[in-house]
Amino acid sequence: MISLLTRYRTVSRRSVNVLLAGIVGLMLQMSYPSAALAKPLKVGTSGGPVADIMNFAAERARQQDIDVLVVEFSDWVTPNEALANGDIDANLFQHIPFLNAAIKGRGYKLTPIAPTYVMPVGLFSNKITSFDQVPENAVVAIANDPVNGARGLQLLQKAGLITLKPGVGDAATVLDIVSNAKNLRFRELEAAQLPRALDDVTLSQVSISYLLLSGGNPEKALIADGFGDAHYALQFVVRADRKDDPEIAKFIAIYRSPEVKDYIAKKYGKYFVPVW
């Protein structure tokens, strides 16, 4: 009887010790989540080279125990919607003029926190090799979002094909054209669709990123902009209440490292110009 009681007490002590250890362990996990339990940092981006560079930086971050999940989007509207809704933690696909237009139009509480590189936009054609070959009534494709559409119109002005109202800048629309000597007709398309329009129009505004994604050659640009112009630098964007988030800051520091800059230079050369 005494032996059984002793054994019972021993087992009871062990059970209590195991229970206490489990409780303490749970409390520690709640206070200091392990890497396995921590949620990954979700960063949204557009496809092609932008996603490629992001994935390279994300791999560098994982080597430093920062789990980054890259979320690719196929348009330029959803990334800001997803960020505003809390589905992702940050995004990288837009410059400040585009962000400002999105904030004005949709009331987002988003803020840019770090510039990365400039992604040029050019005018391309599968039908002509110089602007003096543009025929009367030619169809020209430009981006259908306000800011990048304005960017396309400004390229056409630089090419001498149209004249815009003075000072319209990033707010330019086809309604601001005051001179159109060749009576160009405009087709407004989503930016991702512009490379596909090259067989159907005389000229198309195309982002170098989408051009490379479609297999196009940037060297065939009749004119391009944005080389090193910080006005068009793609920005890391977050919700305003997370602008000082240390985890996001850590990843951005890795992204804006010499290793990533070297990767961009070696793979994309003059077409993607870091501004950090």
Side-chain angles (χ1 to χ4, degrees):
M1 184 71 177
I2 295 175
S3 177
L4 287 173
L5 183 58
T6 301
R7 288 169 60 189
Y8 173 77
R9 287 173 176 168
T10 301
V11 171
S12 297
R13 290 193 194 99
R14 288 175 180 171
S15 299
V16 171
N17 288 340
V18 170
L19 180 60
L20 288 173
I23 293 172
V24 171
L26 180 60
M27 292 175 66
L28 286 172
Q29 287 182 2
M30 292 174 66
S31 301
Y32 305 100
S34 67
L37 294 177
K39 293 181 180 180
L41 187 68
K42 296 179 182 178
V43 183
T45 188
S46 53
V50 182
D52 173 54
I53 297 167
M54 182 67 74
N55 279 306
F56 180 83
E59 182 56 34
R60 306 282 80 70
R62 293 184 196 107
Q63 292 172 5
Q64 300 181 41
D65 296 323
I66 300 175
D67 187 12
V68 178
L69 176 63
V70 179
V71 182
E72 290 187 37
F73 295 92
S74 60
D75 64 80
W76 288 352
V77 175
T78 315
N80 280 333
E81 284 287 328
L83 181 58
N85 293 336
D87 297 324
I88 58 176
D89 302 299
N91 68 37
L92 175 66
F93 77 98
Q94 63 196 319
H95 45 61
I96 286 179
F98 184 93
L99 175 63
N100 287 343
I103 290 172
K104 182 179 180 181
R106 295 176 180 263
Y108 296 132
K109 296 187 183 301
L110 306 178
T111 185
I113 56 173
T116 57
Y117 52 81
V118 179
M119 185 172 61
V121 165
L123 292 179
F124 293 84
S125 178
N126 287 347
K127 299 181 178 180
I128 62 171
T129 57
S130 64
F131 292 120
D132 57 10
Q133 297 173 352
V134 175
E136 293 281 335
N137 301 308
V139 178
V140 178
I142 62 173
N144 67 355
D145 67 273
V147 173
N148 286 301
R151 194 172 174 182
L153 291 171
Q154 290 177 82
L155 277 174
L156 289 164
Q157 179 168 251
K158 289 179 182 178
L161 294 172
I162 63 171
T163 303
L164 297 167
K165 291 178 184 177
V168 289
D170 293 329
T173 72
V174 293
L175 298 177
D176 295 309
I177 298 173
V178 295
S179 174
N180 183 3
K182 295 197 173 185
N183 194 33
L184 302 180
R185 295 174 293 155
F186 295 91
R187 183 180 299 175
E188 297 178 272
L189 302 171
E190 288 190 11
Q193 303 300 319
L194 289 168
R196 302 176 189 176
L198 284 167
D199 289 332
D200 301 320
V201 301
T202 300
L203 283 171
S204 181
Q205 166 196 355
V206 184
S207 162
I208 298 297
S209 177
Y210 283 127
L211 183 78
L212 291 171
L213 185 60
S214 68
N217 181 4
E219 295 291 345
K220 291 186 177 181
L222 299 179
I223 191 173
D225 73 359
F227 293 97
D229 183 353
H231 182 67
Y232 291 125
L234 300 191
Q235 298 272 339
F236 271 103
V237 175
V238 298
R239 294 186 300 281
D241 61 349
R242 296 193 66 186
K243 63 184 180 65
D244 298 317
D245 188 297
E247 197 74 2
I248 295 174
K250 287 178 185 177
F251 175 60
I252 290 176
I254 293 170
Y255 189 102
R256 289 163 34 115
S257 66
E259 292 79 11
V260 175
K261 180 181 283 190
D262 186 57
Y263 179 80
I264 294 171
K266 286 181 178 178
K267 189 159 185 180
Y268 299 107
K270 68 181 181 180
Y271 300 108
F272 287 62
V273 184
V275 295
W276 75 82

